[in-house]
Amino acid sequence: MTGTCDPAAARGLAKLGLAIFGILAAEDASAPVVLISPISIASALGLAAAGATPAGAAEQELLSTLGVQNHEQVAEVNAALWPAGEPPGGVQLLVANSLWVTRDVRPTYSELVERTHGALAARLGSTYDECAAPPLPTWARLTTRACRTPPVAS
């Protein structure tokens, strides 16, 4: 999914990113650098909204926080930021967008987030085969092309 997005959704996500930055910067004004990834935070909240009960309190709170009308708009903004094809200047951004849980994941949710957000939803401890996701460290290494494997608590 690439192309355009709703400008109001893009503004909503930008407003969230600026609000988070403002809170973090105000917490420790002496910190030399504050670095956050607003789109990563929005993507995670978008995955949560995708799994929330439609029109329920949790979904409404998440969408309000994100400043969007539905979780699909988060994916649309994300796709507009990272268009397909060769990146300009050889710079490439790899987003490791996934949800790992300790319980089974409903297939309908897995299919929804894969189709809409390009994300993986899997159970921790899954083994790599045609029906399951690779273990988390393997998935992270494959997704980021072995740039860096994050530490994983066991």
Side-chain angles (χ1 to χ4, degrees), residues 105-140:
V105 179
R106 290 184 180 179
T108 53
Y109 177 75
S110 293
E111 293 163 6
L112 173 68
V113 297
E114 182 177 353
R115 182 181 64 250
T116 307
H117 296 269
L120 172 70
R123 184 174 194 235
L124 282 169
S126 300
T127 58
Y128 192 95
D129 63 29
E130 293 176 8
C131 300
L136 181 54
T138 303
W139 175 85

Side-chain angles (χ1 to χ4, degrees), residues 24-111:
L24 293 174
E27 274 187 13
D28 186 1
S30 65
V33 176
V34 174
L35 178 66
I36 62 170
S37 173
I39 199 65
S40 293
I41 295 166
S43 293
L45 294 175
L47 291 177
T53 301
E59 182 191 52
Q60 295 306 310
E61 186 68 28
L62 287 162
L63 297 178
S64 174
T65 298
L66 288 162
V68 297
Q69 295 176 2
N70 55 61
H71 71 89
E72 291 93 343
Q73 288 184 314
V74 176
E76 291 168 2
V77 171
N78 208 345
L81 289 172
W82 331 123
E86 192 62 32
V91 175
Q92 187 174 23
L93 176 66
L94 301 172
V95 177
N97 195 12
S98 69
L99 174 71
W100 294 82
V101 296
T102 56
R103 296 185 177 182
D104 288 335
V105 179
R106 290 184 180 179
T108 53
Y109 177 75
S110 293
E111 293 163 6

